[in-house]
Amino acid sequence: MAAVLEFRKSRAEDIPRMLEIFARARRLMDETGNTTQWTTADRPREELLLNDIALDRSYVCLHEGRIVGTFVYMYGDDPERGYRADRITEGGWKDAGPYGVIHRIASSGELKGIGTACIEWCAAQCPHIRIDTHPNNKPMRGLLEKLGFVRCGTMSVPVDDGVRVIYERSESVHAR
């Protein structure tokens, strides 16, 4: 039987557990060859998590009342200004409509399928999703491709080594 998961908005008291999950994610990234994303021990920083909570875009995934995943989800006509066309260095977005964005997704590793569950929860809110990840984040890139996301190119960002692979999933992208 599949685990029953619950999703809710993050609260300030969730931050210690979220930081534990991000520490595990940094270790996993390092073990899988992604040594340049979230390189410092405090990425993402507590201040950023508090800001995400204040902006009402931070979520946690719970199993039996315990936080097992965390992510940021935003939606709108242009929820991520960093996804502007002038930041894309190769390729481009396929669908111009309103979209959801997922950032800072991480799992505790206690249950399999948490990343998939978080992404599918976001897609249930809006079927047009954009996400970016580090070129060396092979586990995330594989998951996105498994879940039907299309690689749309690369984008420059002002953190880590400055490059991200961009992905998109929507009905109009699949119709092509």
Side-chain angles (χ1 to χ4, degrees):
M1 184 169 131
V4 176
L5 302 174
E6 175 187 345
F7 295 88
R8 67 164 168 77
K9 299 243 173 141
S10 305
R11 302 184 289 246
E13 59 265 24
D14 298 330
I15 288 181
R17 177 63 176 156
M18 293 165 69
L19 291 171
E20 288 175 17
I21 290 171
F22 286 122
R24 183 224 176 241
R26 284 191 301 275
R27 287 190 304 273
L28 179 64
M29 285 191 281
D30 191 52
E31 291 167 7
T32 59
N34 184 5
T35 59
T36 57
Q37 183 180 3
W38 295 355
T39 54
T40 61
D42 64 346
R43 291 257 349 257
R45 291 183 173 88
E46 183 174 346
E47 299 82 38
L48 180 61
L49 303 180
L50 284 167
N51 187 58
D52 288 336
I53 291 168
L55 292 173
D56 211 27
R57 62 187 188 190
S58 179
Y59 293 83
V60 291
C61 172
L62 299 101
H63 176 254
E64 297 179 351
R66 180 167 171 78
I67 297 172
V68 294
T70 183
F71 58 95
V72 165
Y73 171 76
M74 305 178 285
Y75 170 79
D77 289 328
D78 190 21
E80 177 52 80
R81 290 178 294 192
Y83 283 178
R84 295 184 322 258
D86 65 337
R87 306 256 326 256
I88 298 174
T89 54
E90 170 195 320
W93 300 115
K94 310 287 187 209
D95 187 340
Y99 61 94
V101 176
I102 304 169
H103 284 308
R104 292 184 282 289
I105 184 169
S107 164
S108 69
E110 296 168 46
L111 294 171
K112 290 206 175 281
I114 297 303
T116 296
C118 292
I119 291 169
E120 293 300 350
W121 181 89
C122 294
Q125 313 310 303
C126 171
H128 180 199
I129 300 288
R130 292 179 179 174
I131 189 169
D132 66 88
T133 192
H134 194 281
N136 292 335
N137 195 340
K138 292 177 184 158
M140 179 55 76
R141 292 182 66 189
L143 176 61
L144 293 172
E145 290 166 13
K146 175 183 156 194
L147 294 176
F149 283 78
V150 174
R151 184 185 187 278
C152 294
T154 58
M155 173 181 80
S156 62
V157 295
V159 295
D160 303 326
D161 65 2
V163 176
R164 293 292 179 271
V165 180
I166 57 174
Y167 289 88
E168 184 171 34
R169 186 174 93 174
S170 74
E171 292 177 12
S172 66
V173 170
H174 286 294
R176 294 177 187 200

